[in-house]
Amino acid sequence: MITTDLTPGSPCWLDLGAPDVRAAAAFYGAVLGWEYESMGEGEDMEGGMFRKDGKTVAGLGKLTEEGARSAWMIYYAVTDADATTQAVERAGGTVRVAPRDLDDWGRMAQYSDPLGGQFAVWQPGKNAGFELADEPGSLSWTELYTTDAAGAKEFYGGVFGWQFSDMELPGGGGAYTLITPAGLPEERMQGGLMQLPAENLTLANGRPYWHPVFHVTDCDAAVAQVTENGGSVQMGPEDAEGVGRLAVCVDPSNADFVVLTPTQS
């Protein structure tokens, strides 16, 4: 369960770097019912905010990093971005963007874990993060595909203090690790990680990567919008017992995400 209460170590923001901002805004508007509000002026549309029912759910910006792939970046709440940066370095991670202030909105930093999985942190100022979570059209889960689950647990546990519990996937599919913020009960689980061979991680050339899971009211209808608007489907739609109906999707610029209609409790 992802909330907007800014518990340290929990997801609080996400944004997409896209080569064509206008096209990305149109795609996610069709798939998730988002409205896009440009932060720039004129016709360039270099970046802005996505909103659902008037509430901010994510950001969108122009992909400018040389050689980078279009991808969603997930930000985790921290009380001290500088201290987190030191923890990342001690644990063997890499600082991609050193801590910096974004006016008085807050302080951010971006990192790679020891195997290359990219993530970010947000130390809130006047901007706490997204305003809607775990509702249709918003973030409901985060997921890491990695080639080393044990190493990932050691790294992220050291940086964020996350709690982990393993469950066996049906059909001998291996283990799936559930992630809960430090000190919170299991009903506050916010994500998971799964070990996969490098040949299954082609989107990131064999490196680990995080992706978001978005809550939708009708998984099949969302998938239809994905394909009708130039995206593709890597897996599903299919039913996952106790979880819901889900599909792993890729947008027209090759950024991956999951749409999930949760099982009604």
Side-chain angles (χ1 to χ4, degrees):
M1 178 182 183
I2 294 177
T3 71
T4 57
D5 67 0
L6 287 182
T7 298
S10 65
C12 65
W13 184 248
L14 71 164
D15 56 34
L16 174 68
D20 186 333
V21 170
R22 188 181 299 275
F27 174 83
Y28 287 97
V31 173
L32 297 173
W34 287 350
E35 297 177 350
Y36 176 71
E37 180 181 328
S38 175
M39 300 288 285
E41 297 180 358
E43 298 298 320
D44 291 340
M45 290 187 65
E46 291 297 309
M49 302 291 180
F50 284 118
R51 302 189 192 279
K52 176 68 174 177
D53 300 328
K55 296 181 178 180
T56 304
V57 290
L60 172 63
K62 181 79 170 179
L63 182 66
T64 58
E65 184 178 345
E66 187 74 24
R69 78 176 182 99
S70 182
W72 283 97
M73 180 70 72
I74 299 171
Y75 292 72
Y76 296 94
V78 296
T79 56
D80 187 334
D82 296 271
T84 303
T85 298
Q86 295 172 7
V88 167
E89 292 178 318
R90 285 196 301 269
T94 302
V95 179
R96 300 182 62 250
V97 178
R100 66 183 187 188
D101 293 324
L102 300 181
D103 296 325
D104 56 353
W105 286 16
R107 189 164 175 81
M108 62 81 71
Q110 294 184 357
Y111 315 107
S112 294
D113 68 26
L115 293 179
Q118 297 181 3
F119 66 104
V121 297
W122 179 250
Q123 177 186 329
K126 73 174 186 180
N127 188 310
F130 44 57
E131 299 172 331
L132 188 71
D134 215 31
E135 297 288 343
S138 67
L139 183 70
S140 64
W141 193 252
T142 64
E143 195 165 59
L144 173 67
Y145 290 165
T146 180
T147 53
D148 182 3
K153 287 189 279 188
E154 181 178 358
F155 173 78
Y156 289 101
V159 171
F160 291 121
W162 286 345
Q163 305 167 109
F164 302 102
S165 58
D166 291 343
M167 59 176 284
E168 289 299 316
L169 294 171
Y176 187 86
T177 299
L178 300 165
I179 300 168
T180 305
L184 293 185
E186 282 197 352
E187 57 261 30
R188 284 294 307 273
M189 288 185 298
Q190 66 190 29
L193 65 88
M194 184 176 179
Q195 182 164 313
L196 294 170
E199 55 265 29
N200 287 10
L201 304 178
T202 55
L203 284 176
N205 297 318
R207 297 192 309 274
Y209 58 88
W210 287 93
H211 60 209
V213 178
F214 297 117
H215 182 153
V216 295
T217 56
D218 187 331
C219 179
D220 294 75
V223 166
Q225 288 297 319
V226 167
T227 56
E228 287 175 18
N229 287 275
S232 59
V233 179
Q234 288 191 313
M235 184 192 76
E238 63 182 43
D239 295 317
E241 184 177 355
V243 177
R245 189 162 177 81
L246 59 86
V248 182
C249 305
V250 178
D251 74 16
S253 296
N254 226 26
D256 58 301
F257 62 99
V258 175
V259 289
L260 167 69
T261 302
T263 300
Q264 296 297 316
S265 57

